């Protein structure tokens, strides 16, 4: 029997997740889109340095079980090292470990926090943003939804735009194209969101040049 085509949108690496053989030729009956981009991971470090020119130590909050997390961590380390930024890595394995990881961020003496985007940090985004505000810790996230929940800044692909693009893949699959031959799409359009309310709450002045480049400013 022929397998039904499956269309996915994942935050991590579909190859590591086991649903694609490669991004260019996923194979089998799967194709879709991934929000993971290593260039994005590096750009977030550069943006947070622009936001805080005196940044010395950057805390990383991340779900260690997220497929692709290791590559994202490596890319972040590379970007931080190029800017002489020290990383304070605070991984967690399950949602129950988030509080412990946030406590490690708190005692690390970090000047800012970078949160890797995935389903778990997204579900707990309001809690993570509230922690950053309480600690007066500038925070950088991966999707605008984190800023809507009170985070300071986010840089990443627009999730809604990705789902709209997937509709054209759904159309092609319905017309009989083989999913295994449709390349997995990676993000191409990125948005920088800044939350002025969050900036005010923690006493951070966003540089005018960065404000001017923002795709959206939450007042």
């Amino acid at each position: 029997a022929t397998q039904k085509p499956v269309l996915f949108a994942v935050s991590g690496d579909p190859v590591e997740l086991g649903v694609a053989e490669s991004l260019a030729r996923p194979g089998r009956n799967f194709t879709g889109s991934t929000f993971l981009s290593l260039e994005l991971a590096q750009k977030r470090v550069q943006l947070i340095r622009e936001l805080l020119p005196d940044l010395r130590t950057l805390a990383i909050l991340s779900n260690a079980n997220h497929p692709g997390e290791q590559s994202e961590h490596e890319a972040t380390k590379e970007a931080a090292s190029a800017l002489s930024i020290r990383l304070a890595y605070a991984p967690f394995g399950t949602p129950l470990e988030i509080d412990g990881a946030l406590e490690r961020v708190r005692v690390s003496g970090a000047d800012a926090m970078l949160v890797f985007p995935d389903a778990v940090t997204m579900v707990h985004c309001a809690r993570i943003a509230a922690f950053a505000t309480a600690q007066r810790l500038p925070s950088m996230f991966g999707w605008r939804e984190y800023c809507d929940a009170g985070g300071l800044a986010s840089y990443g692909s627009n999730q809604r735009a990705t789902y709209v693009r997937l509709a054209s893949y759904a159309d092609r699959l319905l017309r009989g194209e083989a999913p295994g031959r449709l390349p997995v799409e990676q993000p191409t359009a990125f948005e920088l969101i800044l939350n002025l309310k969050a900036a005010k709450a923690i006493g951070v002045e966003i540089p005018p040049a960065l404000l001017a480049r923002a795709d959206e400013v939450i007042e």
Side-chain angles (χ1 to χ4, degrees):
T2 53
Q3 291 180 302
K4 283 183 181 166
V6 176
L7 195 56
F8 61 73
V10 293
S11 59
D13 180 350
V15 178
E16 202 176 303
L17 194 58
V19 295
E21 283 161 32
S22 74
L23 295 184
R25 299 276 290 198
R28 302 200 306 270
N29 57 321
F30 290 91
T31 190
S33 187
T34 172
F35 291 108
L36 184 72
S37 154
L38 301 183
E39 290 86 31
L40 261 183
Q42 297 192 315
K43 183 72 179 164
R44 287 183 192 121
V45 176
Q46 292 156 7
L47 284 167
I48 202 154
R49 162 52 66 81
E50 273 188 67
L51 186 62
L52 302 162
D54 296 333
L55 174 68
R56 292 287 166 264
T57 302
L58 176 63
I60 304 291
L61 180 74
S62 91
N63 173 6
N65 295 324
H66 185 232
E69 191 270 352
Q70 281 174 307
S71 335
E72 194 164 1
H73 186 201
E74 283 306 318
T76 302
K77 271 202 282 199
E78 224 172 88
S81 161
L83 295 169
S84 304
I85 295 169
R86 188 178 78 82
L87 292 186
Y89 182 50
F92 62 87
T94 70
L96 293 174
E97 293 172 12
I98 290 178
D99 283 338
L102 288 173
E103 178 56 20
R104 288 202 301 282
V105 169
R106 191 185 70 76
V107 300
S108 71
D111 307 301
M113 174 175 70
L114 173 60
V115 178
F116 288 173
D118 84 302
V120 182
T121 57
M122 180 76 155
V123 166
H124 298 279
C125 61
R127 181 170 149 203
I128 294 167
F131 162 84
T133 303
Q135 298 301 322
R136 295 177 74 81
L137 197 62
S139 53
M140 168 65 79
F141 297 90
W143 302 320
R144 64 142 318 131
E145 286 80 0
Y146 293 91
C147 280
D148 291 334
L152 175 64
S154 74
Y155 183 72
S157 53
N158 182 304
Q159 295 201 64
R160 281 165 295 188
T162 299
Y163 290 115
V164 167
R165 274 209 319 279
L166 277 182
S168 72
Y169 261 27
D171 184 53
R172 289 169 71 175
L173 293 177
L174 289 170
R175 290 167 193 268
E177 279 195 58
R181 289 192 185 151
L182 290 176
V184 174
E185 288 207 323
Q186 287 181 284
T188 51
F190 309 116
E191 54 182 12
L192 171 63
I193 313 293
L194 297 171
N195 185 332
L196 281 184
K197 202 172 154 193
K200 204 172 171 185
I202 61 174
V204 162
E205 187 95 15
I206 297 175
L210 200 58
L211 264 179
R213 282 184 9 236
D215 294 281
E216 192 177 328
V217 175
I218 297 169
E219 300 282 355

